[in-house]
């Protein structure tokens, strides 16, 4: 049974998350503030952490940072409020794997939780078909990336961006196509968000991120993966 740590201070939200996740058969541990959450995340053995951003004592970002500094690599799914675009980017930079925007539906949450747990458990098995992209070998089916047999952490969105660019390799993919495909219609990120993700991806895949050879910028309109 997968063990999930839920760090959330609002009682109604706590209860809703706990009930819905327990109904799916997960074992839930609750923490009501950042400090307790960080301590449990670092010392416990969880398969996934659901982490609210606005928390008493320590913010979700601080928790994220502490957990990663401790060497703990448990996947973290941030719960952010609508419109906190900067928070999402910052959270991912601090080591979160993904975020989900409040208010979210139960089905969406459960789908994300399942996807992360599946990805995590697949990490233990040998990758099947690897696709070389720049410095990395990617197993798209398992959401896993490797560099010289060492696993490299990529967020769910980073995998989705790479997969979409790879499906359309050697063609220009426009920013709005990426926004539609990867972010969907319900969220409203700006094209700047796409650019930020590309910058981070280049740092992971390019030999020299300042002179990209794999993900090229197509004159203001989009990007092109050259393979
Ligand atoms: Ca909160």
């Amino acid at each position: 049974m997968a063990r999930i740590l839920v760090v959330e201070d609002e009682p109604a939200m706590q209860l809703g998350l706990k009930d819905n996740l327990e109904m799916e058969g997960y074992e839930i541990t609750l923490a009501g503030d950042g400090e307790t959450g960080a301590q449990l995340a670092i010392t416990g053995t969880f398969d996934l952490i659901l982490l609210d951003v606005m928390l008493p004592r320590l913010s979700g970002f601080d928790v994220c940072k502490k957990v990663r500094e401790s060497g703990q690599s448990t996947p973290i799914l941030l719960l952010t409020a609508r419109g906190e675009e900067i928070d999402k980017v910052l959270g991912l930079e601090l080591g979160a794997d993904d975020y989900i925007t409040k208010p979210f539906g139960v089905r969406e949450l459960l789908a994300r939780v399942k996807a992360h747990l599946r990805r995590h458990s697949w990490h233990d098995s040998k990758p099947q078909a690897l696709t070389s992209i720049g410095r990395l070998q990617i197993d798209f089916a398992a959401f896993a990336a490797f560099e010289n047999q060492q696993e490299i952490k990529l967020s769910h969105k980073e995998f989705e961006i790479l997969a979409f660019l790879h499906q359309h390799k050697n063609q220009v993919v426009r920013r709005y196509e990426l926004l539609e495909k990867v972010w969907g219609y319900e969220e409203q990120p700006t094209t700047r968000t796409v650019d930020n993700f590309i910058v981070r991806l280049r740092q992971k895949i390019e030999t020299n991120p300042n002179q990209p050879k794999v993900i090229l910028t197509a004159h203001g309109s989009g990007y092109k993966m050259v393979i």
Side-chain angles (χ1 to χ4, degrees):
M1 193 197 307
R3 303 189 64 212
I4 301 177
L5 173 64
V6 175
V7 191
E8 167 65 65
D9 59 315
E10 290 156 52
M13 191 75 177
Q14 247 192 21
L15 197 66
L17 287 168
K18 185 173 186 287
D19 283 353
N20 282 299
L21 292 167
E22 280 182 348
M23 261 193 286
E24 294 295 307
Y26 301 122
E27 194 183 321
I28 307 304
T29 301
L30 289 174
D33 65 82
E35 215 169 84
T36 313
Q39 204 176 7
L40 284 168
I42 291 165
T43 55
T45 50
F46 296 99
D47 301 295
L48 179 67
I49 300 167
L50 296 187
L51 178 61
D52 187 28
V53 174
M54 297 291 284
L55 287 168
R57 296 166 80 91
L58 265 187
S59 79
F61 296 140
D62 294 329
V63 174
C64 216
K65 210 168 149 225
K66 271 189 168 234
V67 170
R68 291 299 179 244
E69 278 170 3
S70 78
Q72 186 66 263
S73 64
T74 312
I76 295 177
L77 179 53
L78 279 182
L79 311 176
T80 66
R82 191 170 288 280
E84 292 174 342
E85 190 56 41
I86 297 164
D87 288 2
K88 294 167 187 172
V89 175
L90 180 62
L92 296 173
E93 275 165 7
L94 289 174
D97 293 82
D98 201 359
Y99 59 82
I100 185 164
T101 310
K102 290 180 183 180
F104 45 78
V106 173
R107 278 177 54 197
E108 189 191 354
L109 174 78
L110 293 177
R112 294 282 190 98
V113 165
K114 271 183 199 145
H116 281 283
L117 289 173
R118 191 171 58 225
R119 180 173 9 148
H120 198 54
S121 63
W122 277 345
H123 283 184
D124 302 331
S125 59
K126 280 255 179 285
Q128 300 295 315
L130 293 179
T131 306
S132 280
I133 299 181
R135 282 153 47 200
L136 300 187
Q137 274 76 52
I138 313 270
D139 181 346
F140 282 116
F143 290 101
F146 305 89
E147 181 177 7
N148 302 324
Q149 269 120 49
Q150 290 287 315
E151 184 158 11
I152 304 293
K153 276 189 77 65
L154 294 184
S155 72
H156 190 71
K157 284 219 161 35
E158 288 177 321
F159 275 109
E160 286 188 82
I161 293 168
L162 280 183
F164 192 72
L165 289 174
H166 190 257
Q167 277 162 21
H168 301 85
K169 60 189 171 201
N170 304 315
Q171 302 167 32
V172 173
V173 171
R174 295 175 190 279
R175 284 189 185 82
Y176 74 83
E177 291 179 278
L178 275 171
L179 281 172
E180 276 179 21
K181 180 68 192 167
V182 176
W183 277 265
Y185 293 99
E186 88 276 22
E187 294 177 50
Q188 294 176 328
T190 62
T191 50
R192 179 93 185 113
T193 310
V194 178
D195 297 338
N196 286 336
F197 269 83
I198 296 289
V199 166
R200 274 213 310 281
L201 274 172
R202 279 175 173 158
Q203 282 162 1
K204 291 174 184 174
I205 68 174
E206 300 280 356
T207 309
N208 178 359
N210 295 322
Q211 291 186 317
K213 297 265 193 287
V214 182
I215 301 179
L216 308 184
T217 302
H219 287 299
S221 60
Y223 296 97
K224 178 158 92 171
M225 181 176 281
V226 177
I227 289 185

